[in-house]
Amino acid sequence: MKKFIITISREFGCNAREVGHILASKLDVPFYDRDLVDMTAQRAGISSDSFIDSEMLLDRHLKELLKAFSYGSSTSFYSEKAVMAQVDVIRELADRKQSCIFFGRCSDYILREYPNCLNIFLYSPLDHRIKHMSEAYDLTEAAAAKLIKRVDLQRHNYYKYVTGKNRGDRDNKHIMLDVSNFGCEGTADIIISAVNRKYGE
């Protein structure tokens, strides 16, 4: 198989990270996720801690979840120095000989000129995302809905800051899939089929 790069953008709560892990396991390639935040922070000389907006913190559990899912969204990442560090980290990893998967961090935009890149956007209806988050993290549906709204807004704002574009636009996306329709395994299998069709020899 020819070298390929997969980028995954997503709506919060659609279980896209699980899809990414399944893909990486089945394709036997590296999966770059939160380590991208750590490498960017180290290179830019900034803290990777997340800024927590106290207006929505209903309890300690929700505060901890927001902190975890907002990783890499602190105000220190909103600078030219941090953005350029992120660009350098992602492109250096992409330039290695091995195929790989990038999870978030505007990687679809950063690698937009790479011809061997397959850009995926994963989403699900809001009710499905609320159900998943409430069951997975022991939240009330109201708390799950508030968490989804807050994290999605953070990620949208960051993507807009780096790229000037909206995160869920079709521009530069090759495949857009509703995870609730196919499940994590089924979604991964569809993407693998596309990889085989496009990069298989």
Side-chain angles (χ1 to χ4, degrees):
M1 183 177 289
K2 300 174 185 176
K3 177 187 170 181
F4 61 85
I5 299 168
I6 296 173
T7 72
I8 300 176
S9 307
R10 78 286 192 198
E11 288 182 331
F12 179 65
C14 72
N15 216 4
R17 183 170 276 107
E18 177 65 17
V19 174
H21 284 300
I22 293 171
L23 276 173
S25 176
K26 290 189 173 184
L27 292 169
D28 193 25
V29 298
F31 179 68
Y32 297 115
D33 184 5
R34 293 187 177 187
D35 40 354
L36 294 174
V37 176
D38 297 332
M39 287 185 279
T40 296
Q42 183 177 16
R43 180 166 300 199
I46 59 177
S47 171
S48 58
D49 290 340
S50 299
F51 173 76
I52 303 301
D53 187 348
S54 61
E55 69 175 281
M56 71 148 290
L57 301 180
L58 302 181
D59 56 34
R60 184 175 179 179
H61 181 46
L62 192 58
K63 180 177 181 178
E64 290 172 352
L65 287 174
L66 180 61
K67 183 174 182 179
F69 288 118
S70 299
Y71 194 64
S73 297
S74 63
T75 53
S76 55
F77 281 85
Y78 284 77
S79 70
E80 182 178 353
K81 180 180 181 181
V83 170
M84 291 312 299
Q86 180 167 285
V87 168
D88 289 344
V89 165
I90 290 175
R91 288 182 176 169
E92 285 174 14
L93 292 171
D95 287 338
R96 293 178 178 178
K97 292 182 179 181
Q98 189 175 13
S99 297
C100 61
I101 300 171
F102 290 100
F103 194 69
R105 306 312 296 176
C106 309
S107 52
D108 61 322
Y109 180 81
I110 291 170
L111 300 176
R112 64 193 180 279
E113 296 176 358
Y114 281 57
N116 58 333
C117 211
L118 187 65
N119 299 324
I120 313 295
F121 186 82
L122 302 178
Y123 64 96
S124 288
L126 180 58
D127 60 345
H128 180 269
R129 293 189 285 148
I130 290 173
K131 183 174 186 294
H132 166 66
M133 292 303 296
S134 63
E135 291 177 353
Y137 297 98
D138 192 27
L139 295 169
T140 65
E141 289 195 353
K146 186 165 283 193
L147 181 64
I148 288 168
K149 181 178 180 180
R150 186 68 179 89
V151 175
D152 259 346
L153 180 62
Q154 282 183 336
R155 291 178 178 174
H156 172 78
N157 288 343
Y158 183 73
Y159 191 89
K160 186 83 169 180
Y161 173 78
V162 174
T163 72
K165 300 178 181 296
N166 293 321
R167 187 167 48 110
D169 286 352
R170 290 177 294 175
D171 181 47
N172 199 37
K173 305 294 190 299
H174 302 123
I175 298 175
M176 305 180 81
L177 289 168
D178 179 350
V179 179
S180 69
N181 268 330
F182 306 104
C184 292
E185 286 278 352
T187 300
D189 287 343
I190 291 171
I191 297 170
I192 290 170
S193 177
V195 169
N196 288 332
R197 185 177 184 88
K198 188 172 177 64
Y199 302 105
E201 293 179 335

